Every structure is written in C-alpha cells, then in structure tokens.
Amino acid sequence: MTTNDAAKTQVLNRPVDQTSTSDFPGFSAGSSAQTQVLEPTRLGRVATSGLTRRFASVEPTNIIIAADCSSSVHGSMDSINAGLAGIKSSICKDPVSGQTAHVSVISFSSEVKVWRLRDQDSSQGLDEVDAAFVPAAEMPEVVLRAKGATHLNDAILKAVELEREQVHRQVRLHGQNPRRSLLIILSDGADYPGKNIDAAAAALSTAVAKGKIKVMFLGFGDYKPEIAERLAGSDGWFAADDGASIDDFLELAGKYARVLSSEEPGKVPAVGTKVGTPDSPIRFCSPAGMTLREYLAS
C-alpha cells in the first residue's frame, strides 16, 4: 500500500477528495488522516479514503473452477451453469470478497477452455488484454454445453499453470502476497480412453504439499473414487450419486470461497452447510478420517 498525497489520484473514476465512506461498503471510519490506496492492478482495485479496513489483510485469494462439460454430464449441465453463477453471487455477498477473490473458470471436454474477460491493464500500458483471472464482481457469465470427451488431466495441468502464473504476476508486478489458492473441480469420471491423470496428480500433489493450492473435488455420477483421491488427496473430496442434485456442494464452494477471501489470515472459516448430513445428497469422503469441519479448516 502507498500513502496518497496527490488530489489527482483517481478512485472510482473520481478524485480521492471527492469520495466518502458510502463509496466503500464494508469499510468503517478510522482515525488515520492519510489517504491510503492499493496499487492499481488489472484485476481490480480496492481503495480507502481516510478509512480503516475491517480486515487485517487485503491480499487476494485466487479461485480456479474447473468444470467438466463432456457429453456424459448432460444431465447435470443446468446445475453446473447455475452453480457457477451462484458461486459468484455468494462471493459477492461480501463486497470486499467481490474484489479480493480473483476467479478463473476452466471448462473441459474434448478441449480445455479458459473463459476470459477483456480488461484494461493500465499498469502495463496496454489497451486491452485477456484476463484469465478477474475479481469475482467482474466474473463473466459462463454458459457451458455438454459435448465431447473428458480431458481431465489437461484441465488440471492448465489450472496449476494459470495459478502459478497468476501468483508470479501478483508478487512480481504488484508486490502482493496472495493467500493459498482454491481449486474447485467438478467432474463425473476419468480422463478419456488412452489417457491417465499421472501428470495432473503429480502437479497437484506438489502444489498442495507446498501450501499453494487447496483442492475441493466433487465427483458425481460414475466418477472413480481412486481418481478423486489422487487429485484431492487423502484429506477428502465430495461425492454425489448419479442424478442427484449437486446444488449443496456448489453452495458450500461459494460460501467457502467467500470466507477464504475475506477472513483474517489464519482464522478458521465458519461455513454453514447441509453437505454431509442426512438432508443432503452430497457426501464428504475422507480416507484420512477427517470431519468436514476439520477439512474446511485445514
């Protein structure tokens, strides 16, 4: 953060001295007489004018959603599309999270696609760039259609690559220290015939062991538990029977993403959910014997 002493600095497209507390929901008046502004980035900006953040840190949280849209998930496609919009809505219930949670959506079938948003990048002097990550509040509408095979391995490798590049950009260009990233995987099966997930499992295992990424894996339909465990680890994953609603998981993922990007670092997230109860078709599976609460806090 830098101390602003120039009236020409623009916040919300207005000079700093023309803003008020009402421009920044989620902030409270403080005693500091100085104006503090986060360095602008292509991923959105959060600024205060004589205000004190209600959180100890404003470092970003990177969230990657890898959604299976192969032909076999046809029956779940409406739920997945609604869930993507629901995750955005849940994150943005907290206005701070709407800016500090940076989201990237990857869909995979016979090809792996990164959904991008055209964005301005004043920090790089570029007129337009493709932003793989955007603040949740600016997350584009994503409508997936089921078709093709399941390129699960390639999708996970792309997710790990994007996360690594994003963190490098945040640290090198903006001096930020992002929190652990969250990778949400939605899939109903293994990779297409003739392929395996060895490379993806190895890349994820390394990233998880280094504390870079936390994985939330939902397997539904005819998914293979052994693949879920290789990707998510023995701490646990989520499962839904064929034809069951996956809405409870998507709601949990949205709430969890919100608290991860807004709570003080080190604070155990408190997330209310029906997942894992008799009232939900979503089960939590943990070879390590973790409870859902322990998993979410880990």
Side-chain angles (χ1 to χ4, degrees):
M1 295 179 66
T2 58
T3 299
N4 174 59
D5 58 3
K8 66 181 180 180
T9 300
Q10 297 290 311
V11 178
L12 302 177
N13 297 319
R14 301 194 302 279
V16 168
D17 57 4
Q18 294 178 20
T19 60
S20 66
T21 58
S22 63
D23 291 312
F24 303 99
F27 293 81
S28 57
S31 59
S32 174
Q34 295 179 320
T35 297
Q36 294 185 331
V37 183
L38 288 182
E39 294 289 354
T41 79
R42 63 183 275 188
L43 301 171
R45 69 183 62 176
V46 178
T48 66
S49 179
L51 305 170
T52 301
R53 282 301 297 263
R54 74 174 189 267
F55 299 109
S57 171
V58 294
E59 299 296 358
T61 300
N62 299 312
I63 300 165
I64 308 102
I65 305 170
D68 189 340
C69 60
S70 59
S71 57
S72 59
V73 304
H74 177 76
S76 301
M77 209 71 263
D78 288 345
S79 290
I80 291 174
N81 284 326
L84 293 175
I87 288 174
K88 172 184 177 178
S89 176
S90 181
I91 294 173
C92 293
K93 285 181 179 178
D94 185 311
V96 175
S97 297
Q99 290 297 324
T100 60
H102 298 157
V103 182
S104 181
V105 178
I106 300 172
S107 62
F108 58 98
S109 54
S110 294
E111 64 176 359
V112 176
K113 177 178 180 179
V114 179
W115 291 73
R116 297 178 182 271
L117 177 72
R118 302 298 289 180
D119 195 15
Q120 298 294 319
D121 190 345
S122 59
S123 66
Q124 293 303 294
L126 302 176
D127 292 330
E128 283 189 326
V129 294
D130 279 322
F133 283 84
V134 294
E138 300 172 23
M139 180 178 163
E141 180 182 12
V142 176
V143 179
L144 306 180
R145 293 177 174 81
K147 62 179 181 179
T150 306
H151 284 220
L152 177 59
N153 185 76
D154 293 345
I156 301 306
L157 290 176
K158 173 57 70 174
V160 173
E161 175 189 346
L162 286 179
E163 192 275 342
R164 183 171 58 247
E165 291 175 349
Q166 169 74 347
V167 170
H168 177 70
R169 183 184 303 112
Q170 289 166 324
V171 172
R172 182 173 60 87
L173 295 182
H174 309 304
Q176 297 171 320
N177 182 29
R179 308 180 190 202
R180 181 175 56 167
S181 301
L182 176 63
L183 172 58
I184 301 169
I185 306 170
L186 313 172
S187 184
D188 75 336
D191 217 316
Y192 68 95
K195 289 278 288 185
N196 59 55
I197 61 162
D198 291 350
L204 268 187
S205 177
T206 298
V208 170
K210 291 182 177 180
K212 303 293 185 181
I213 295 177
K214 182 177 181 66
V215 179
M216 291 185 76
F217 182 98
L218 172 66
F220 51 95
D222 295 328
Y223 91 101
K224 293 179 171 55
E226 60 271 23
I227 288 180
E229 183 171 357
R230 291 190 66 195
L231 293 177
S234 61
D235 285 355
W237 65 89
F238 302 83
D241 293 332
D242 192 17
S245 170
I246 61 175
D247 292 349
D248 288 350
F249 171 81
L250 294 168
E251 180 184 34
L252 170 62
K255 289 181 178 179
Y256 189 62
R258 182 175 73 239
V259 298
L260 284 182
S261 55
S262 61
E263 294 285 7
E264 296 178 11
K267 185 175 180 179
V268 176
V271 183
T273 181
K274 294 188 294 184
V275 168
T277 72
D279 295 328
S280 175
I282 306 297
R283 306 184 306 278
F284 175 63
C285 311
S286 175
M290 277 190 169
T291 65
L292 179 55
R293 178 178 175 80
E294 290 170 339
Y295 166 84
L296 294 175
S298 66

